[in-house]
Amino acid sequence: MSVEFLWDGRAQPTRGPKPALTLEGITDVAIAVADAEGLAAVSMQRVAAELGKTKMSLYRYLPGKAELVALMIERAIGEPPELTAGSWRAALTQWSEQLFAAYLKHPWSVDATVGRRPLGPRELGWMECALAALGAGSGLTGAERLDAIAVLAGHARMLAQQAAARLDEDGMNAAMSEVVTRHGARFPQLTAAMRETAVEGGQNQAFTFGLDRILDGLAALIDRRSARS
């Protein structure tokens, strides 16, 4: 897997006919395939066919599928956000919301951003952006700051993955309601919570609720560190 390819690009040939394709065009076609059919549908052969080219012709532009997927991530998720919020908490809220929105727009990116793979400047830029928002002056160690960003990203990934699989809270509640109607006596706490939700509302807030609780925990830890110093 070529990391240099993502950072330095690949020089265009100076002789011969003008290239018929561009990296941006190849990547956009791959993204369109993934958006419509999922990441598993993306292959060098499939993308070449969509472009009306041979599979081997794509290797003039990029080394292979791993690099293609990395380019897809870079292009789909885009540049790191420009955070305008003042406090670290507001900034990380903004960062998490924008990452969640990016995952929702391109559900395949959830699977594409796990495991060993080439990492591009935009993906690392998102991490840099979040770490800058949290700040070295938070009193947290470098490892704790990295873990905090991993937890926030993981929360966005999990909820986006559920949304992509259509395991939304409404669907889960409907499925549980049917069972609880028949067997509610065996699950009194679940039955009570669902009845309360039906009356008072408040469902479908898992992303915001979870994000607030994560940030509450960070705030408590930062306050303790500040008190010690």
Side-chain angles (χ1 to χ4, degrees):
M1 293 185 291
S2 173
V3 174
E4 290 76 13
F5 171 78
L6 286 169
W7 291 80
D8 301 329
R10 172 168 287 194
Q12 295 295 333
T14 58
R15 297 181 180 180
K18 182 180 179 180
L21 302 173
T22 65
L23 278 176
E24 291 79 8
I26 294 170
T27 305
D28 285 345
V29 168
I31 289 173
V33 171
D35 285 346
E37 303 177 36
L39 188 62
V42 176
S43 67
M44 297 291 278
Q45 183 171 348
R46 172 65 185 278
V47 173
E50 294 288 332
L51 289 164
K53 303 293 182 181
T54 65
K55 174 182 175 181
M56 293 305 298
S57 68
L58 294 190
Y59 291 104
R60 293 186 61 199
Y61 301 88
L62 70 165
K65 181 181 175 179
E67 289 76 18
L68 175 59
V69 173
L71 285 171
M72 292 166 61
I73 295 168
E74 290 281 287
R75 195 156 174 82
I77 293 181
E79 294 286 353
E82 294 184 7
L83 303 180
T84 58
S87 69
W88 67 263
R89 179 168 184 144
L92 286 183
T93 297
Q94 188 178 3
W95 182 88
S96 299
E97 289 172 346
Q98 293 197 35
L99 182 61
F100 183 51
Y103 283 142
L104 288 178
K105 184 176 181 180
H106 301 286
W108 54 266
S109 63
V110 173
D111 293 330
T113 51
V114 295
R116 184 180 178 184
R117 64 193 189 283
L119 295 173
R122 288 182 175 178
E123 190 172 359
L124 290 184
W126 275 79
M127 294 181 64
E128 177 72 15
C129 177
L131 289 169
L134 185 55
S138 63
L140 304 182
T141 67
E144 288 170 338
R145 294 198 301 275
L146 288 170
D147 284 344
I149 302 311
V151 171
L152 289 170
H155 178 64
R157 290 171 55 84
M158 179 187 67
L159 270 297
Q161 189 174 42
Q162 288 185 356
R166 304 192 185 281
L167 294 177
D168 60 285
E169 200 164 330
D170 283 338
M172 289 295 293
N173 285 341
M176 286 191 294
S177 293
E178 182 178 352
V179 176
V180 168
T181 298
R182 299 178 181 179
H183 308 286
R186 295 178 58 184
F187 308 102
Q189 296 301 322
L190 178 59
T191 300
M194 292 184 66
R195 285 175 177 169
E196 182 179 336
T197 299
V199 174
E200 299 182 3
Q203 66 269 35
N204 292 325
Q205 301 297 321
F207 175 76
T208 301
F209 179 84
L211 177 59
D212 285 343
R213 301 295 75 76
I214 293 170
L215 296 177
D216 284 346
L218 279 176
L221 179 57
I222 290 171
D223 287 346
R224 287 201 300 271
R225 295 288 168 80
S226 177
R228 290 177 185 174
S229 61

